[in-house]
Amino acid sequence: MRDPQKNRKRQIIAMIVVVFLIFVARLFYLQIVNTDFGRAADNNSLRNVVQHPARGLIFDRNGVLIVHNVAVYDLMVVPGQVRAMDTLKFCNLIGITIEDFRRNLQRARRHSRFVPSLFEPQLSAETFGKLQEHLFRFPGFYAVPRTVRGYPIPAAAHVLGYIGEVDNRIIENDPYYRMGDYIGKSGLELFYERYLRGERGNRIFLVDVHNRVQGSFRDGAHDVPSVPGLSLQTTLDIEVQKFAEQLMQNKRGAIVAIEPATGEVLVFVSSPAYDPNLLVGRPRSVNFRRLQNDPQRPLFNRALQAEYPPGSHFKIPIGLIAMQQGVINENTSFPCDQSQVGCRPHRTVHNMRDAQAVSCNPYFVAAFRRTIQQGEHRNPFIDSRIGLERWNEYIRSFGFGEHLRIDLPGGRRGLIPTVALYDRMHGENRWAFSTFRSVSIGQGEVGITPLQMANLAAITANRGWFITPHLVRTISDTIIPDRDFITRRYTMVDPEHFDAINWGMYDAVHAAGGTAWRARISGISVVGKTGTVQNPHGENHATFIAFAPFDEPKIAVAVFVENAGFGGAWAAPIASLVIEKYLTREIRRPHELRRVMDANFMTTAAH
């Protein structure tokens, strides 16, 4: 007979074991499988605060600080900790609407109820100061200090670029970034992002029931310090950069100046420009939309991304290649036969120097014809095909038709006509030299960027070589960004052929009747060439390239002014003022300066 007392005892023990196992299983689920409650408990007493690193500073070539960091505060929220509070007062303190509050909180809840989310970015120090003394009244909210960019000298916006918040695509493609991080979006900020960004850190704080910080958790034993980003020393001369931007006010176009011996970019202007401080802080999105919708397109980097016909500047490589191939020499003369192309009145041309000085169109059409049609085939179509293919090798050695690999994102390659292009346009063996003779004077199927124009001026100054144009000298004083920035690239033209070209450009500025007399500077031997580019949409464009001084060039510059007409009238004096400012640090021609500053060529619509 069974003992009922003993059975009851077994049942009680079994029930206790079952209850115990249920508790163990539940604890295992809550602590191991489902971590929401664990996170909620930790978040009630501990706060993990991301330590955003300060981005690297940016200096000009002379050590002038041009980009620094300004303290702001990101307002964070843990939705699961938010309690009843005076929402209207909260919104008034940080300058948002009730609708903004609800939208931001809902977005944070969708992300997580227990993990902090960004509620309102980049509160200014003044705004945060007003909020700070009341923050204990708003459970679930706290602030994380971070920095945004500041620009003590409001210039070089297209070079420096701007930063903005990362999006989902960036987060998916790069595991370093998290929601709420900022990244370079354009300019040097984007190109050198991995150096500038630094490494984020983390601090753990103890907080009380009122969300007030009580101190570091375990005296900071588990904290990870942030690592500041590396600084950049640029090649820009910010004083001359700012001056050049002032010269381009009320004008569309670009100025690029290069130190020929190093390839360092001294000035890089795209006009119209904008104040880089507009794209900082909470007003950034509003200002960005306004700039984006501006019909003058101030966000468009004309110096790097606009392709223009080069006009008469193209006569420089046309003449050099013809001499290098031996189809002419520096003493070759051609009559100014205007039956095929027009030309401005000028003195008689006896040689290459004269032709460059007066920019004789028929001379360079004739030189280009000899380059293309060298009689290697009886069929003129095939002969032109052979000549164009060979000419392409030479012209591309000047950096045309390719991205010059400057340290900025984007950029255009320009257009250099090829056999394939004309085959597509006209059909194979159905075109000859007459089809593209306008290329010889920088018109037709040819386009170059202002950066490539400036590089041509540097090549001419160096008599046949260049170093890839670049905007950063060093990173944290020691790192050279790219070996290309210290390596010479040689054209396919020998140095001796540049003498006639350079003396012709010298005469264009200094000889009687020269097209570029407005570029003269007392005591400085400026070497330059004007250009007037045909514009089917209105007034012609004015261009000018130059270098100075003649014997030991320190600066090479290109200027392109849309709708300004003759290059000698406006582009030449602008270039000479930039040269004068860089070489002497002052302007001794106040009348010319005032004339340029007062000129306005933005009355027509942008194209």
Side-chain angles (χ1 to χ4, degrees):
M1 180 177 176
R2 293 184 178 180
D3 184 352
Q5 197 71 18
K6 196 175 279 189
N7 285 339
R8 192 177 297 114
K9 185 177 180 180
R10 288 196 188 98
Q11 290 173 355
I12 293 172
I13 291 173
M15 289 176 61
I16 292 172
V17 170
V18 169
V19 170
F20 177 76
L21 291 175
I22 290 173
F23 273 107
V24 169
R26 183 61 175 167
L27 286 172
F28 177 81
Y29 174 77
L30 293 178
Q31 294 187 19
I32 305 301
V33 178
N34 186 345
T35 59
D36 286 351
F37 288 95
R39 284 199 301 266
D42 286 343
N43 289 333
N44 280 327
S45 58
L46 301 178
R47 178 186 298 165
N48 286 277
V49 177
V50 173
Q51 300 296 292
H52 295 286
R55 284 181 77 84
L57 305 177
I58 303 180
F59 300 87
D60 89 333
R61 67 189 295 107
N62 300 311
V64 177
L65 181 65
I66 54 178
V67 183
H68 64 103
N69 296 308
V70 177
V72 294
Y73 298 84
D74 282 348
L75 188 60
M76 309 297 291
V77 64
V78 181
Q81 295 178 0
V82 175
R83 302 290 181 266
M85 64 185 207
D86 188 342
T87 305
L88 182 60
K89 181 178 181 65
F90 178 85
C91 292
N92 289 336
L93 284 170
I94 65 172
I96 64 173
T97 66
I98 295 292
E99 289 73 22
D100 291 333
F101 177 91
R102 291 169 179 161
R103 183 170 55 251
N104 292 352
L105 187 58
Q106 184 60 35
R107 183 181 65 238
R109 282 173 175 158
R110 285 197 300 268
H111 177 61
S112 173
R113 290 183 56 83
F114 304 109
V115 176
S117 294
L118 179 65
F119 182 83
E120 188 69 22
Q122 300 185 16
L123 301 183
S124 67
E126 180 183 5
T127 300
F128 177 66
K130 296 176 183 177
L131 173 67
Q132 189 174 23
E133 58 182 296
H134 302 282
L135 197 56
F136 73 95
R137 303 178 187 276
F138 307 119
F141 292 92
Y142 66 93
V144 175
R146 71 182 310 148
T147 57
V148 293
R149 293 312 225 176
Y151 305 90
I153 302 173
H158 292 95
V159 173
L160 301 173
Y162 57 90
I163 62 174
E165 190 172 351
V166 297
D167 54 28
N168 290 330
R169 180 183 58 82
I170 294 172
I171 294 172
E172 290 171 2
N173 292 334
D174 192 331
Y176 171 83
Y177 295 101
R178 304 173 186 171
M179 191 64 68
D181 282 349
Y182 287 82
I183 189 174
K185 294 284 190 176
S186 69
L188 297 180
E189 294 279 14
L190 171 57
F191 195 91
Y192 289 101
E193 165 68 15
R194 66 190 180 100
Y195 296 104
L196 289 167
R197 72 188 182 190
E199 295 291 333
R200 77 167 66 82
N202 186 70
R203 293 189 67 186
I204 306 174
F205 295 98
L206 291 167
V207 294
D208 63 15
V209 292
H210 297 292
N211 205 32
R212 292 176 295 202
V213 173
Q214 301 299 299
S216 296
F217 175 63
R218 294 186 178 176
D219 295 324
H222 300 286
D223 292 349
V224 177
S226 63
V227 179
L230 303 181
S231 296
L232 306 181
Q233 183 182 30
T234 70
T235 63
L236 289 178
D237 186 319
I238 196 63
E239 181 183 347
V240 185
Q241 172 78 23
K242 184 177 179 181
F243 174 72
E245 290 186 16
Q246 292 169 345
L247 294 177
M248 290 296 289
Q249 287 180 359
N250 298 317
K251 304 169 187 69
R252 285 188 300 270
I255 303 175
V256 179
I258 298 172
E259 184 178 63
T262 63
E264 294 181 351
V265 177
L266 307 170
V267 172
F268 195 91
V269 175
S270 175
S271 184
Y274 62 93
D275 184 344
N277 290 294
L278 290 174
L279 298 184
V280 172
R282 296 170 75 190
R284 175 191 171 278
S285 58
V286 174
N287 290 334
F288 184 83
R289 284 194 297 272
R290 180 172 61 81
L291 292 171
Q292 198 172 37
N293 295 329
D294 189 326
Q296 298 297 344
R297 303 174 69 194
L299 293 175
F300 179 55
N301 190 339
R302 286 172 166 81
L304 188 65
Q305 297 172 321
E307 291 181 3
Y308 301 105
S312 292
H313 306 324
F314 215 55
K315 295 171 184 175
I316 295 172
I318 291 291
L320 287 167
I321 295 170
M323 288 189 288
Q324 179 66 34
Q325 292 192 14
V327 296
I328 65 171
N329 60 48
E330 63 180 39
N331 295 313
T332 299
S333 64
F334 293 106
C336 187
D337 179 4
Q338 299 185 43
S339 61
Q340 294 186 358
V341 61
C343 193
R344 57 182 291 274
H346 56 73
R347 67 180 186 270
T348 302
V349 170
H350 299 289
N351 49 42
M352 176 62 74
R353 176 173 178 171
D354 290 345
Q356 287 290 349
V358 301
S359 198
C360 177
N361 287 340
Y363 186 99
F364 291 97
V365 171
F368 192 42
R369 179 185 289 109
R370 285 196 182 180
T371 304
I372 299 301
Q373 293 183 323
Q374 297 190 28
E376 298 181 51
H377 199 284
R378 294 176 60 184
N379 185 321
F381 299 108
I382 298 176
D383 193 37
S384 295
R385 188 183 194 89
I386 295 169
L388 183 60
E389 286 180 337
R390 180 171 47 236
W391 177 82
N392 255 267
E393 295 179 35
Y394 283 81
I395 197 67
R396 290 178 185 275
S397 71
F398 285 77
F400 296 128
E402 67 172 64
H403 191 297
L404 282 175
R405 295 192 68 247
I406 190 173
D407 43 353
L408 286 177
R412 301 292 294 273
R413 300 168 61 92
L415 174 64
I416 294 298
T418 63
V419 166
L421 173 66
Y422 290 128
D423 281 348
R424 288 197 302 272
M425 292 175 63
H426 305 289
E428 188 173 343
N429 293 335
R430 299 187 65 182
W431 52 269
F433 171 78
S434 59
T435 307
F436 59 94
R437 61 171 173 251
S438 60
V439 168
S440 60
I441 58 172
Q443 298 288 166
E445 297 79 29
V446 59
I448 65 176
T449 66
L451 174 64
Q452 290 170 325
M453 291 183 193
N455 195 53
L456 174 60
I459 290 170
T460 309
N462 292 332
R463 290 166 169 77
W465 59 268
F466 68 96
I467 294 176
T468 299
H470 54 283
L471 284 153
V472 170
R473 271 184 171 178
T474 56
I475 301 171
S476 288
D477 298 325
T478 56
I479 303 171
I480 296 174
D482 194 313
R483 301 304 298 180
D484 280 351
F485 298 165
I486 57 174
T487 304
R488 291 187 180 187
R489 288 181 56 182
Y490 289 87
T491 68
M492 295 175 67
V493 177
D494 297 332
E496 59 265 23
H497 297 305
F498 284 84
D499 287 340
I501 301 293
N502 288 1
W503 279 112
M505 292 171 65
Y506 177 89
D507 291 345
V509 177
H510 298 280
T515 60
W517 64 270
R518 284 191 179 275
R520 295 174 191 165
I521 307 170
S522 178
I524 300 175
S525 52
V526 177
V527 181
K529 187 161 188 61
T530 59
T532 303
V533 177
Q534 295 177 10
N535 174 24
H537 303 291
E539 186 67 41
N540 289 338
H541 305 313
T543 69
F544 186 69
I545 67 171
F547 67 85
F550 185 97
D551 291 323
E552 296 183 9
K554 299 291 192 299
I555 180 173
V557 62
V559 175
F560 199 106
V561 187
E562 296 182 19
N563 310 118
F566 178 51
W570 296 107
I574 290 173
S576 73
L577 288 166
V578 171
I579 291 171
E580 185 176 9
K581 181 71 171 178
Y582 178 69
L583 294 179
T584 71
R585 315 311 291 183
E586 62 180 349
I587 297 298
R588 294 168 292 183
R589 297 174 292 157
H591 298 294
E592 193 66 68
L593 175 61
R594 185 161 52 251
R595 174 179 173 271
V596 168
M597 294 286 285
D598 290 344
N600 185 346
F601 300 111
M602 292 180 68
T603 54
T604 57
H607 296 290

